[in-house]
Amino acid sequence: MPTIIDNVEVRLLDQLSAFIGSAYQVKACIGFLNLKGWRALGGLIESLVPYPQDPPCKVLIGIVDIERGIDPALAAGHRTDGEQARHYRKTMLELLCQQITRGIPTESAQSALRMLSAQLRSGTVQIKLHTRYPLHAKLYLIKRPDHITPRIGFVGSSNLTYAGLYEQGELNVDVVEQDAAEKLDHWFDQRWNDPFSLDISLDLADIIDQSWAGEPIEKIEHLPYLIYLKVAYHLSENARLGQREFEIPPDLRRILLDFQIAAVQLAAKLVKHNGGVILADVVGLGKTLMATAVARVLHEHTSSSTLVICPPKLQQMWDEHLDRYLRHPASAHARTLSIGQVERELGSLRRFHTLINDES
């Protein structure tokens, strides 16, 4: 009986990983390729021990784009000619270029794209575009030096994207029976060797190398504006990560302004990863409320307790803030201590996870 691979109980990426380590070639026929998702397979491909006469990894892309759909002429069943094939090739390269420019340029995406470029230039990976007719098939075929099961196929619905391989609900089955696996191998080779299956390997490598993900070129003059964008991107990285890592409770989100929400999320991240942060906004921008919100976020994230040390004249204000926004969760523990009480009482208090030192 075949194994049902649905990315819920059994994930396709795990199945591929289990067999690629002992393989010499991987063939994939997919409708859609996500370049940034290549990191899911790129490292595995490096372990292939190829036969000299054939690329270790062959990827055949159908003329399908998720956003634009299939070309109407192809969808109507019209066969392509040389001019149309070149047009489809140009269109697909433009779409792949757009993929690279979308989204946040993370280090992991950059590493995956650079790996793919190197694999394309070395011949480890070869990518072709099928242009003869709409090809929406999903086939992964692993060939290995095994006398019992030299070919293992996976057929189903998963495109070569991280979602298709790991996250998204799919339906695939493995093909271990060798007569069926050999027929799938033959089916793939027929379409791979079709004159209208066009090699785009080096063109794609050029696109990657000329993008933000490419290796830096020596003696190139960088425009000041591009340098500014690079600096701004890295300086804002903690803020972006903080926004994804910490959620603001709804009751606080209703009263905080947008800049305060961003500051709270960034401060919470810095406290978690660096052990502390200085909140140094000018008078009137709500530092007390933002600091209380940081304590609340940290409490909901790690069940932490909070101690506020402040001047005596501010103790009542801090108690009011804690009563309203922090102490009302049943498990929250928070208290205030005036600066004058620190030397006398601090040593006898329980340990607190979070310390707010007002007007330190």
Side-chain angles (χ1 to χ4, degrees), residues 240-312:
R240 295 195 311 276
L241 293 174
Q243 288 176 335
R244 293 198 293 270
E245 186 172 357
F246 294 99
E247 286 292 329
I248 304 296
D251 59 319
L252 285 171
R253 182 174 285 276
R254 285 193 293 269
I255 61 174
L256 290 171
L257 300 175
D258 289 344
F259 81 90
Q260 292 174 319
I261 291 174
V264 169
Q265 290 172 317
L266 174 57
K269 174 180 172 53
L270 293 175
V271 170
K272 178 183 176 184
H273 294 280
N274 297 346
V277 66
I278 296 176
L279 189 59
D281 280 335
V282 298
V283 175
L285 292 185
K287 294 189 296 296
T288 302
L289 180 58
M290 285 189 282
T292 306
V294 171
R296 171 76 174 280
V297 167
L298 292 173
H299 166 74
E300 297 203 352
H301 194 74
T302 61
S303 299
S304 62
S305 55
T306 301
L307 173 66
V308 177
I309 296 177
C310 61

Side-chain angles (χ1 to χ4, degrees), residues 202-269:
L202 295 181
D203 300 280
L204 180 53
D206 287 340
I207 289 173
I208 295 171
D209 293 345
Q210 293 166 17
S211 73
W212 58 268
E215 295 284 355
I217 302 174
E218 297 294 333
K219 299 181 180 179
I220 187 171
E221 183 178 351
H222 294 289
L223 297 176
Y225 178 65
L226 297 179
I227 297 174
Y228 163 77
L229 290 180
K230 182 78 170 179
V231 171
Y233 167 76
H234 285 290
L235 288 178
S236 64
E237 188 168 14
N238 279 332
R240 295 195 311 276
L241 293 174
Q243 288 176 335
R244 293 198 293 270
E245 186 172 357
F246 294 99
E247 286 292 329
I248 304 296
D251 59 319
L252 285 171
R253 182 174 285 276
R254 285 193 293 269
I255 61 174
L256 290 171
L257 300 175
D258 289 344
F259 81 90
Q260 292 174 319
I261 291 174
V264 169
Q265 290 172 317
L266 174 57
K269 174 180 172 53

